[in-house]
Amino acid sequence: MDIKSVVVIGAGTMGSGIAEWFASQFVSVELVDSNQEQLTKAITQIHRSWEKLVEKEKLTSCKMNQMKPFLEVKQLHQANKNADLVIEAIVENLEIKKNLFTDLDKYFSEKTILASNTSSFPITLLAQAVKEERKAKFIGLHFFNPATIMKLVEIITGKDTALQLAKDLYQWFDSKDKKPALCKDSPGFIVNRVARSFYGEPLRIAETEDQAKLKEIDHILKEVGGFKMGPFELMDLIGVEVNYSVTCSVWEAYNKSARFAPHKLQKQMVDEKRFGRKTKKGFYSYE
Ligand code: NAI
């Protein structure tokens, strides 16, 4: 398998990171978003991130200039209908995702692989939105934040996904310096299932937003636990609202088992639109 052209739908935190990574691999990528302002912001940020790498001498300006033409921003109706791979990275809402996949199924050629970066929805459920003939080419490709740095990509097969497709994608990502993992289609896959406790237990320990307590828990998990980020810092990076919706969907999928229950603080923060870094206020404040 060779992937030469990719369309990424959703130019938010994940979509823009995924697009940036593909362009850095010299794979043509078209980044699509229904919000034109978000598209402009995304391409500006990606270019800025490359320029920073050049300033830090982690990237040559020659390589940056070679990478830039591999990334374009578009509206869906302008995207290449014959792309090899489409990755959906829009809001974590089942109905909105399914509606989009019905449109994508009609728009893209039959050879195009359709993938979702969903954190928690079963791939088999999302695949209901596409025609029978597409289902073998419908798969989960779950990247981690920041997608340019985090090596893991979970590859999730739905009930009708061709196993050979999963194996081919595994090999392709492996050859591109990512660490793919084949996963079964269970709620939260591997990481987001395990990670529910990483967020849920610290929330239950802290109970409130007492800054000293949050900092202490983050500190302990980093210094003693060896994690790169503490749970509260990480929720702020992921997006409190994204994390909350993943928690709710895993919790519901496990029949509201107490071990996956969301914490009241999460809902309160979402209601107050304190999403973390993106709104400059989450568990911590950002300038
Ligand atoms: P985000 O809120 O930062 O970005 C979503 C983008 O999708 C927005 O720019 C929005 O304008 C766009 N959008 C919404 N509906 C659209 C449509 N119908 N057509 C085109 N564009 C549309 O969300 P984020 O955090 O990037 O998450 C995206 C997906 O990735 C979700 O499924 C999430 O669960 C998953 N994910 C998120 C991670 C994170 O750390 N934030 C990590 C791994 C997966």
Side-chain angles (χ1 to χ4, degrees):
M1 164 185 281
D2 201 6
I3 296 173
K4 292 207 163 76
S5 53
V6 177
V7 177
V8 177
I9 320 268
T13 310
M14 289 311 292
S16 55
I18 294 167
E20 179 176 345
W21 180 78
F22 274 104
S24 74
Q25 301 300 310
F26 301 110
V27 174
S28 289
V29 54
E30 294 168 311
L31 183 57
V32 168
D33 201 292
S34 48
N35 178 346
Q36 183 59 40
E37 216 176 290
Q38 185 62 30
L39 273 182
T40 312
K41 193 172 146 198
I43 192 146
T44 309
Q45 272 175 357
I46 294 172
H47 286 169
R48 185 71 202 113
S49 118
W50 287 339
E51 279 151 16
K52 276 193 188 153
L53 290 175
V54 172
E55 281 161 23
K56 290 185 188 160
E57 298 185 350
K58 289 186 174 167
L59 178 70
T60 63
S61 56
C62 173
K63 189 170 174 200
M64 177 179 73
N65 290 333
Q66 285 171 340
M67 272 152 50
K68 276 188 175 170
F70 281 87
L71 174 69
E72 291 177 276
V73 289
K74 301 242 168 107
Q75 289 301 323
L76 182 57
H77 66 273
Q78 302 165 319
N80 172 11
K81 288 182 187 235
N82 294 309
D84 295 321
L85 171 66
V86 174
I87 301 175
E88 167 277 313
I90 69 164
V91 59
E92 188 76 351
N93 174 300
L94 186 61
E95 283 319 303
I96 299 177
K97 279 191 194 291
K98 282 176 90 174
N99 287 339
L100 176 69
F101 274 118
T102 302
D103 293 344
L104 299 180
D105 188 27
K106 287 182 196 144
Y107 183 83
F108 287 98
S109 88
E110 58 189 33
K111 76 171 186 78
T112 301
I113 302 160
L114 294 189
S116 176
N117 184 51
T118 178
S119 301
S120 59
F121 295 127
I123 297 305
T124 307
L125 196 59
L126 288 172
Q128 287 173 352
V130 302
K131 290 189 288 288
E132 283 307 312
E133 309 84 77
R134 175 84 64 180
K135 288 185 176 166
K137 283 186 162 277
F138 192 98
I139 198 157
L141 286 179
H142 185 219
F143 292 76
F144 290 81
N145 187 6
T148 48
I149 294 172
M150 300 298 281
K151 292 206 181 290
L152 180 63
V153 181
E154 290 178 332
I155 300 177
I156 307 111
T157 46
K159 182 170 72 66
D160 300 311
T161 311
L163 280 182
Q164 192 56 46
L165 173 65
K167 289 181 187 162
D168 289 346
L169 283 166
Y170 183 102
Q171 275 188 351
W172 189 85
F173 280 109
D174 202 31
S175 75
K176 298 286 177 194
D177 199 30
K178 283 279 185 204
K179 292 259 180 288
L182 295 177
C183 303
K184 65 175 185 182
D185 197 12
S186 67
F189 317 124
I190 300 172
V191 173
N192 269 325
R193 176 169 171 182
V194 174
R196 284 314 100 205
S197 307
F198 184 72
Y199 310 113
E201 292 311 318
L203 277 161
R204 284 183 269 275
I205 293 167
E207 278 301 335
T208 66
E209 287 180 73
D210 176 342
Q211 292 287 296
K213 225 173 214 177
L214 304 187
K215 279 191 184 142
E216 186 186 20
I217 294 170
D218 276 347
H219 177 78
I220 291 171
L221 279 160
K222 283 190 291 186
E223 297 307 315
V224 184
F227 289 93
K228 277 238 158 52
M229 296 179 81
F232 300 104
E233 292 170 325
L234 189 52
M235 280 186 272
D236 275 358
L237 177 77
I238 289 168
V240 175
E241 86 293 11
V242 174
N243 194 273
Y244 177 62
S245 69
V246 174
T247 303
C248 289
S249 97
V250 173
W251 178 55
E252 271 159 28
Y254 284 105
N255 299 318
K256 302 200 169 171
S257 160
R259 68 197 166 117
F260 295 119
H263 192 274
K264 60 177 188 309
L265 207 49
Q266 289 173 288
K267 175 158 189 327
Q268 187 187 319
M269 290 174 71
V270 172
D271 289 345
E272 291 167 4
K273 300 220 173 335
R274 288 194 287 131
F275 298 160
R277 285 177 181 268
K278 64 177 91 164
T279 55
K280 305 215 184 307
K281 213 161 168 21
F283 290 98
Y284 302 114
S285 295
Y286 304 85
E287 282 322 308

